Amino acid sequence: MLRSYAQLVTLLSATKALALFPDCSSGPLKNETICDSSATPLDRAKSLVALYTLEEKINATGSTSPGVHRLGIPPYEWWNEGLHGIAGPFTNFSDSGDYSYSTSFPQPITMGAAFDDQLIKAVATVISIEARAFNNANRTGLDFWTPNINPFRDPRWGRGQETPGEDPYHLSSYVHALIAGLQGDSSDPYKRVVATCKHYAGYDMENWNGNFRYQFDAQISQQDLVEYYLPSFQSCARDSNVGAFMCSYNAVNGVPTCADPYLLQTILREHWGWTNEEQWVTSDCDAIQNVFLPHQWSSTREQAVADSLIAGTDLDCGSYMPNHLPGAFAQGLVNETVLDQALVRQYSSLIRLGWFDAPEKQPYRQLDFSDVATNASQQLAYRAAAEGIVLLKNDGLLPLTIDSSTSVGLFGEWANATDDLLGNYYGVATYLHSPLWAAEQLNITVNYASGLGSSSDPTTNFGWMSVWPAAAASDVIIFISGITNDIEAEEKDRVSLSWTGPQLDMIGQLAGLGKPMIVVQMGGGQLDSSPIVNNPNISALLWGGYPGQDGGVAIMDIITGKAAPAGRLPLTQYPSSYTNEVPMTDMSLRPGPTSPGRTYKWYNGTAVFEFGSGLHYTNFSASVNRGLESSYDISELMSTCKQSNETYPDRCAFTPSPIQVEITNIGTTSSDYVTLAYLTGSFGPAPYPKKSLVAYQRLFSISGGSSDIAALNLTLGSLARVDMKGNKVLYPGEYSLLIDN
Ligand SMILES: O=[N+]([O-])c1ccc(O[C@@H]2O[C@@H](CO)[C@H](O)[C@H]2O)cc1
């Protein structure tokens, strides 16, 4: 059985009084190699593991590691979350005062819409600094089970909100920046924290039509694996040196991922060279139990833990491994060498985090609550929200001109949102600024009524009775609604992509008043907003996702023009009919007899809004300045690549210097601009993707009449296509570079 959060919190309070770090200066290990900071992490970890009895080793395979009291090794809790701020069942916020809150950033789906890798690195840096401050107060750990970088494949997925979106290139670039921010520079003597790329692999369905994440067997072709499901994980392992991976609940092509040596050994460690002794794999929580039941991959509990450990799962989120490894050893299913290897990985990781070293030598060990929720962090949370909001429709009403005589009607379940601003996996935010709160800070009249909240006919229920007079008294109507974690969540996929009947009724009634009207669509998954797009009485549509602690302010600032929108949809907005056209369990990307295809690359229907959609308060023009010739010889590209120092040919630069695109603001309003560069053409295996994102760059505050240069670094990998066997190949053919269309 899965443990409940309530039980987990009880465990935490039981361990709170114990020592935080091993005492290498006067504890029992002081003369051992583990305490010699001049020795290599590998030698140090090996020396510690050699001192453990078999029972002590087995006890260390669960996420709530009890430590070894006789050796002065304190307990360590491996399960910490950090999706968009520190969080998790074991992160302990105090009731008041210091350590009672931290910075809560937008959900990744909103930050993904910013297409700003520098922002992502800055956000991740703040999260890791706040994590260190909380760790120094014994309130959280040093490793964090974030990011979630399964591509947002199907619009129904309840956890798509946790990801930066649907495109594998975007995810790979985003996660590279994020890991650098979380872990710090690889040349630093200590890692700031360890990040964990999850859920490896093929996990993007919770509970759909009788298919549960715990037993689902994802059937994925080799081509789709290499092209779509694995690039973000490759970016973590091979290109970003992430400290940890998490295997997922599901199986891939018949094998539960936590017991799959092909995924965990052949691809992850051998093919991607993820071979540092300090890099470990954890299971998702109780996923090893699922290897036995419901997957029935292993015939007994003991076989399941042995199969998982031998395949390369070094840690069990839960206690299944420590509970059943004694039996596995008794039955001769596993040997101590593989257990030692798992523990060496765990302890090498803690060594790289400075767990065994004197605190005074470590800058991160000096951080405290004065480093949490600083003014700069609060501003960054606001900026992340403002950068991620996307303008989808505007007939010219926005930016809204307001003055003290303006009366604004604010309606919808999200207008006074609090925790909903955060989505899921959140800690305690510094504050929660709803759109209503933000509107009330302006010198205007605000008429607020939620109006919804019941599935009954809103035009006759109590809600509508309060909306009607408030709307009548307003010059402008803002309706903020959509979906929340009541509808899209862990263990909950959506069944419909439509706004609900009551929501559409309310939107229609409000629009019927003939007043200037703005709709703000909230939530991580997209709703089919065509009724709003097609309603001429609705002037503007924005999408805000889950914008975090300052999300309401960011929304109101964009509406009123204090900030200019430049976010782009990081996913396709499909028509609601999409759910009838392909089952969630169909993992294929390309269109076929039972699928219209997935994502902007392959979907053969008409999207309501395409991936990359996003309007501005001005207009931009783009022209390629420098860097492209009319033809390239593939063998020359490959031989230049071979002469470079690059180990992996797909990372070789396509052109010696970045391709430069000049972006000119041809309007008057100063604005950021996200340059999206796509490749298109008929080359490689058919069918051909409509286009593929190969580079992006956000440019900042380009004033009216001015230009800026986007420097696009294309790689040979970005030109390659993947064949049926999963090989990445450079094919001859006609290629076009599209900027932003
Ligand atoms: O037992 N519980 O309370 C519990 C709670 C959450 C949970 O979800 C899993 O735990 C997260 C660990 O990082 C993974 O992202 C998610 O798939 C799994 C189990």
Side-chain angles (χ1 to χ4, degrees), residues 459-538:
T459 55
T460 53
N461 78 4
F462 179 75
W464 178 246
M465 293 316 184
S466 59
V467 167
W468 180 246
S474 302
D475 304 324
V476 181
I477 288 166
I478 305 175
F479 183 77
I480 310 185
S481 186
I483 50 179
T484 64
N485 272 248
D486 289 343
I487 290 169
E488 54 171 355
E490 192 156 335
E491 300 197 316
K492 199 182 273 185
D493 295 314
R494 284 189 294 159
V495 286
S496 164
L497 306 182
S498 299
W499 291 77
T500 64
Q503 284 172 330
L504 286 177
D505 187 14
M506 176 78 78
I507 290 169
Q509 296 285 337
L510 287 170
L513 295 176
K515 300 189 176 198
M517 178 165 166
I518 301 146
V519 174
V520 188
Q521 178 199 319
M522 303 300 292
Q526 289 293 306
L527 287 161
D528 175 348
S529 281
S530 43
I532 295 158
V533 177
N534 297 334
N535 189 326
N537 283 350
I538 299 173

Side-chain angles (χ1 to χ4, degrees), residues 2-5 8 79-81 145-146 148 159 162 198-199 203 206 213-214 246 249 284-286 317 425 490:
L2 293 175
R3 295 172 300 169
S4 71
Y5 274 105
L8 299 171
W79 185 359
N80 309 285
E81 300 287 348
W145 293 359
T146 196
N148 178 346
R159 298 184 73 182
E162 298 175 32
K198 68 185 185 185
H199 312 80
Y203 167 69
E206 304 297 306
R213 61 178 181 168
Y214 306 108
M246 178 184 289
Y249 287 122
D284 201 338
C285 300
D286 278 333
C317 174
Y425 284 87
E490 192 156 335

Side-chain angles (χ1 to χ4, degrees), residues 186 321 448 475 479 486 569 574 662:
S186 49
M321 219 187 242
Y448 161 70
D475 304 324
F479 183 77
D486 289 343
L569 275 192
Y574 297 93
E662 184 169 347

